[in-house]
Amino acid sequence: MGDANAFRNAAANGQVGIDPDAAHTVLNKIRTGKDAVEALLNGSGALAQPPKLGNNPVGNAMAAKFVQRADGGGDSYSAALQNLLGQYQAAEEGIVQAMARYHEMDQSAADPFRKA
């Protein structure tokens, strides 16, 4: 998640500017991806239901492992989706901030030529 956060921080600090007209397509794709991940997260609870593998030691152990992999911590499906959603959010925030900085940076770059 470091790259998306680094981009967002660079945009927030005025190190990155993006032409808003050029960025709208990317921003729309990011928002579409974010919406898709949110929909998957909303439905991921259904995956955390123990499968019916039989009431025996092997079936019980496999069912418990299935639930843990779907909705447990660390490297579970739900955790991976949360991580991806965080990356989409950081990228979206970075793009929005960079769009806002674009005109400010453009004006600053042009100032020396106007004062001549």
Side-chain angles (χ1 to χ4, degrees):
M1 192 153 142
D3 291 342
N5 282 328
F7 173 71
R8 181 186 60 200
N9 292 339
N13 292 324
Q15 297 170 318
V16 177
I18 297 175
D19 181 355
D21 294 333
H24 279 291
T25 300
V26 172
L27 191 56
N28 287 337
K29 288 183 182 191
I30 287 171
R31 288 178 175 158
T32 298
K34 193 172 110 180
D35 290 345
V37 171
E38 286 175 337
L40 289 171
L41 272 169
N42 289 336
S44 69
L47 293 176
Q49 302 304 313
K52 299 188 182 351
L53 300 173
N55 190 14
N56 59 62
V58 173
N60 291 336
M62 289 176 62
K65 183 70 171 175
F66 183 87
V67 170
Q68 181 184 18
R69 294 295 294 164
D71 201 28
D75 61 351
S76 70
Y77 177 71
S78 180
L81 288 175
Q82 286 288 353
N83 183 30
L84 181 57
L85 181 61
Q87 291 181 40
Y88 271 125
Q89 288 172 332
E92 178 184 26
E93 290 169 13
I95 295 279
V96 169
Q97 289 173 341
M99 289 167 61
R101 297 276 186 193
Y102 175 77
H103 291 295
E104 179 183 312
M105 293 173 77
D106 191 43
Q107 293 299 318
S108 293
D111 281 347
F113 299 104
R114 290 191 192 117
K115 294 177 183 175

